[in-house]
Amino acid sequence: MERGLLIVLSGFSGSGKGTVVKKIMESHADEYALSISATTRSPRDGEQHGREYFFITPERFQEMIDDNAFIEYAQYVKASYGTPRAFVEENLNSGKNVILEIEIQGAMNIKKQYPDAILMFMMPPTAEELERRLRGRGTEDEVTIQARLARAAEESEGVENYDYIVINDTVEDCVQRFCDIVETKKSEAARNMGRIHDIREQLKVYKKGE
Ligand code: 5GP
């Protein structure tokens, strides 16, 4: 079984990542697994424990750090977020591509530990569009919106360290671009040594009569 790809998808808060990921999971459920992070922030309206996040206490979060149960974790605005290790490893080993929807510090951390991971950064077409989408969500107060916009300005500094930029104009186009990038990566010769050996073996019979 060929190991799956680890895919990091980052984007400014309000970039529409969530919607795009939902579409990918709906249309390609057998190829992708979406990692669910643990966080110390409170659930927003409509969020469920075990679906969007595992909502845990700071004490429990610290315990998980101590147990080496995260492959990465980071602080974002006022909360902690971490990627549970077991789910990622199990799914990669069973051949699924695992998507991590995480922020930039976590992304850089993943690149160090998994040099083979693909890092994608999703952006709205303009900053104005980002602000419009953040406000449109209607789930955060003004202080939080301002904090997230300020954070986006900071994060825009590190975007060049990602492997790919994916512009989120329409959801469909964005999903298509995402899948194209994954397919391209999967087609790399170095990732397909099994297949290359197989075809060499199969072709040997033709050499005999030379
Ligand atoms: P939100 O509070 O809007 O759900 O998430 C805030 C930020 O934290 C987003 O950029 C999200 O991608 C990121 N995030 C979510 N889970 C994780 C995680 O496990 N690790 C890291 N490093 N960032 C995360």
Side-chain angles (χ1 to χ4, degrees), residues 17 37 41 44 53 72 81-83 101-103 148:
K17 263 179 319 188
S37 297
R41 84 153 162 74
R44 297 192 188 112
Y53 285 105
E72 65 74 36
Y81 297 82
T83 304
E101 218 192 301
I102 63 177
E103 51 68 73
R148 281 171 186 259

Side-chain angles (χ1 to χ4, degrees), residues 18 23 26 32 49 59 83 86 103 114 156 162 175-176 184-185 207:
K23 264 271 145 51
E26 279 167 13
Y32 292 97
H49 181 77
E59 292 73 29
T83 304
E103 51 68 73
Y114 299 83
S156 66
Y162 282 75
V175 169
Q176 190 58 49
T184 302
K185 179 80 179 174
K207 267 173 122 179

Side-chain angles (χ1 to χ4, degrees), residues 6-7 19 23 32 35 40-41 47 49 60 79 84 88 90 92 102 118 148 151 157 165 173 182 187 197 202:
L6 186 56
I7 303 162
T19 314
K23 264 271 145 51
Y32 292 97
S35 161
T40 60
R41 84 153 162 74
E47 285 183 335
H49 181 77
R60 177 72 192 121
V88 171
E90 280 161 21
L92 287 178
I102 63 177
I118 317 181
R148 281 171 186 259
R151 179 76 192 216
E157 294 301 319
I165 300 302
D173 286 354
V182 172
S187 309
H197 286 304
Q202 292 160 17

Side-chain angles (χ1 to χ4, degrees), residues 45-60:
D45 277 354
E47 285 183 335
Q48 267 178 33
H49 181 77
R51 192 179 64 189
E52 281 77 15
Y53 285 105
F54 296 106
F55 296 98
I56 63 176
T57 61
E59 292 73 29
R60 177 72 192 121

Side-chain angles (χ1 to χ4, degrees), residues 15-166:
S15 61
K17 263 179 319 188
T19 314
V20 169
V21 168
K22 203 165 158 235
K23 264 271 145 51
I24 295 165
M25 294 308 297
E26 279 167 13
S27 49
H28 299 76
D30 48 337
E31 283 168 60
Y32 292 97
L34 177 62
S35 161
I36 300 170
S37 297
T39 182
T40 60
R41 84 153 162 74
S42 317
R44 297 192 188 112
D45 277 354
E47 285 183 335
Q48 267 178 33
H49 181 77
R51 192 179 64 189
E52 281 77 15
Y53 285 105
F54 296 106
F55 296 98
I56 63 176
T57 61
E59 292 73 29
R60 177 72 192 121
F61 197 91
Q62 186 57 49
E63 263 173 35
M64 290 185 71
I65 295 175
D66 296 342
D67 291 346
N68 196 26
F70 292 129
I71 54 173
E72 65 74 36
Y73 60 91
Q75 186 85 16
Y76 184 91
V77 186
K78 275 175 280 173
S80 300
Y81 297 82
T83 304
R85 181 183 303 279
F87 178 90
V88 171
E89 285 297 334
E90 280 161 21
N91 279 281
L92 287 178
N93 287 335
S94 72
K96 290 219 178 182
N97 303 320
V98 178
I99 304 177
L100 309 182
E101 218 192 301
I102 63 177
E103 51 68 73
I104 193 162
Q105 306 163 67
M108 296 305 123
N109 204 336
I110 290 291
K111 190 72 179 174
K112 278 190 214 132
Q113 296 179 67
Y114 299 83
D116 217 25
I118 317 181
L119 270 53
M120 299 196 213
F121 196 95
M122 193 177 292
M123 300 206 226
T126 62
E128 205 179 20
E129 176 65 16
L130 178 65
E131 184 172 354
R132 203 183 63 75
R133 287 182 191 174
L134 265 179
R135 288 189 195 287
R137 199 150 73 172
T139 49
E140 268 117 336
D141 57 29
E142 187 58 29
V143 175
T144 309
I145 289 175
Q146 289 304 329
R148 281 171 186 259
L149 285 167
R151 179 76 192 216
E154 275 172 31
E155 285 188 343
S156 66
E157 294 301 319
V159 175
E160 64 274 23
N161 297 317
Y162 282 75
D163 300 317
Y164 297 96
I165 300 302
V166 187

